[in-house]
Amino acid sequence: MSEPILQLSGVHTNIAQYQVLHGVDLTVPRGGVTMLLGRNGAGKTTTLRTIMGLWRARAGEVLFDGDPIQRLAPPQIARRGIGFVPEDMGIFADLTVEENLILGAVSGPIRQDRLDWVFDAFPALATFWKMPAGNLSGGQKQMLAIARAVIEERGLYLIDEPSKGLAPAIIATMAKALKDLKTAGATILMVEQNFSLARALGDHAAVMDEGRIVWTGAMADLAGDSALQESLMGLKVETA
Amino acid sequence: MVRLFLSGDGPQSRILGAILLLILFCLAFAPFLFPGTRSLETAARICIFIVLVASYDLLLGYAGIVSFAHTMFFGLGAYGVAITTQRMGTSYESLILGTMAGAGIAAVLALVIALFSLRVRAIFFAMITLAVASAVAVLVSQLSAITGGEDGMNIRIPRELTPAFRPFDEPVLGVRFSGRHLNYYLVFFTCLILFLGMLRIVNSPFGRVLQAIRENAFRAEAIGYRVIWYRVTATILSAVVAALAGSVFAVWLRYVGPATTLGVEIMLDILLIVVIGGMGTMYGAVVGTAIFVLAQNYLKDWMGGASDAVGFMPLLPDLLSPDRWLMWLGILFILSVYFFPTGIVGRLRGVT
């Protein structure tokens, strides 16, 4: 088995005086989608933000591609090849769709094949190419946020609750795009509360509770065991 | 071609385009359209303040950084020319050297202030700029052996730029052309080049990142941009352009003093013009400066005329008395901020 792309060992993170992560151990294998699941307040978003360097880990180690990154600044981490899609549709509202995507391509001009892929996955972005991103709908903003992260090929994509507050039709479009990205060989670590989406996309799963990883395994195992889901996340999911 | 000059950032509104063209036309032909010393002074002041305000807009409107030291950089440029010409004598070389020295010192000072303060929080930058600007203003007043103190310094410029120089024997388009007019065109073209240069900067990838940082610095960091580097560079660029504008101002006025370049009133004027014109638009500096400087220079006259016209009515002549011009200027600003919250340019571009 190849070396994992991301490995967190004993990561502790504080936000002001509050300790949020109490020793997170997480391994993200290369290729495929790892879902980070758990109840609200379990520490999922903090984990992603700690990986990105937006919250500094107080203790522990974050290895990306074998190198420790926990002491690096966010721009350095991003330029090492980690794309981040925050949960609040983190687009730049005053800039146009085009400018948002240009900003996403940090290492140079946008590659045409990448742009074609983005337009194919999210046709709305081509339609509103010159429009200020602030004028887009919620779903389009989320598409733009994802597109901005994937406009350049990166080793790992961190995606925080992409389906939050979106209509089912938009979620389906987004799920298809993420599936295509996965098929193309990308590695994604994704936080998701929508279990149906998590089940549809995830290959691996890690469940968090009270700032720790309490379960890891194949997504299929978690999806097929409703008792486990209920004990880990308090979920009662109808099997489709 | 025009788009190339404007770096692809056109007015995006016919009315705005027409206003900008009118201002450009009036400034380009000011010596012929509005003969007279006072109108030429006003036109030159508009040119210089457009650059000064646009350089502040680069900082405030594009990078989201509040500074109170912009007049300090403006003054550094002006004093750079004054001190150099006084020491080295009157020549074009000393003018250029003084301009470069002023811009260089402004760049170094901006770098030091930015590195010390922007690393923490933007608000500290505002506070530090206020402190440094006050300290520099006091120093300039105290070091009278170098700066002329409160009296300021007269600047001797090459004869070709003074009213005594007559390049043509015959009037040109009805105007007796002098070195003063040459000096005006030096001001006009320098300011035009500096303005177009800034338009290029804000429409470059660098300018785009600045706008992203203004909107959300954390987000820009997470994408991969070193926010501190961009903020420091914007501060230096803005300071250098302000210093260059100061040098041009000094050459035009042939005088520099604390009140003409370092005064708090000038800083307030810059802030008002940016807000009235429209932040983060560059063209806001053009429209805002034109309106503001014209109002500052001519509102008194216009009110005198209006007061006379309504002399037969009760109360109105008193209200429109030229002595009350500052009150009406204030009302004008309040109304413009109320009706144009995104500035005149923002409103004309359809942004609400």
Side-chain angles (χ1 to χ4, degrees), chain A residues 94-95, chain B residues 53-67 202 207 210-215 234 238 271 274-275 278-282:
Chain A
D94 290 346
L95 301 179
Chain B
V53 173
S55 66
Y56 191 69
D57 193 28
L58 172 71
L59 202 60
L60 180 67
Y62 285 85
I65 300 169
V66 180
S67 161
V202 299
L210 281 187
Q211 285 169 276
I213 291 171
R214 178 197 61 195
E215 206 176 317
S238 164
L271 272 167
V274 168
V275 172
M279 268 195 278
T281 59
M282 278 291 142

Side-chain angles (χ1 to χ4, degrees), chain A residues 30 168 180 193 221 239:
Chain A
R30 270 173 214 277
D180 286 353
Q193 293 276 18
D221 292 345
T239 44

Side-chain angles (χ1 to χ4, degrees), chain B residues 170-238:
Chain B
E170 297 299 316
V172 180
L173 297 170
V175 175
R176 288 207 61 192
F177 214 78
S178 74
R180 191 72 174 149
H181 295 109
L182 287 180
N183 197 345
Y184 174 77
Y185 279 108
L186 177 72
V187 170
F188 174 77
F189 283 109
T190 310
C191 291
L192 185 65
I193 291 166
L194 285 173
F195 181 80
L196 292 177
M198 277 186 286
L199 207 54
R200 182 77 205 95
I201 290 171
V202 299
N203 287 293
S204 68
F206 172 78
R208 205 176 295 122
V209 177
L210 281 187
Q211 285 169 276
I213 291 171
R214 178 197 61 195
E215 206 176 317
N216 193 319
F218 285 113
R219 216 168 269 167
E221 284 248 317
I223 294 177
Y225 296 103
R226 297 271 301 179
V227 167
I228 179 73
W229 187 90
Y230 281 90
R231 280 184 173 156
V232 169
T233 310
T235 309
I236 294 172
L237 281 173
S238 164

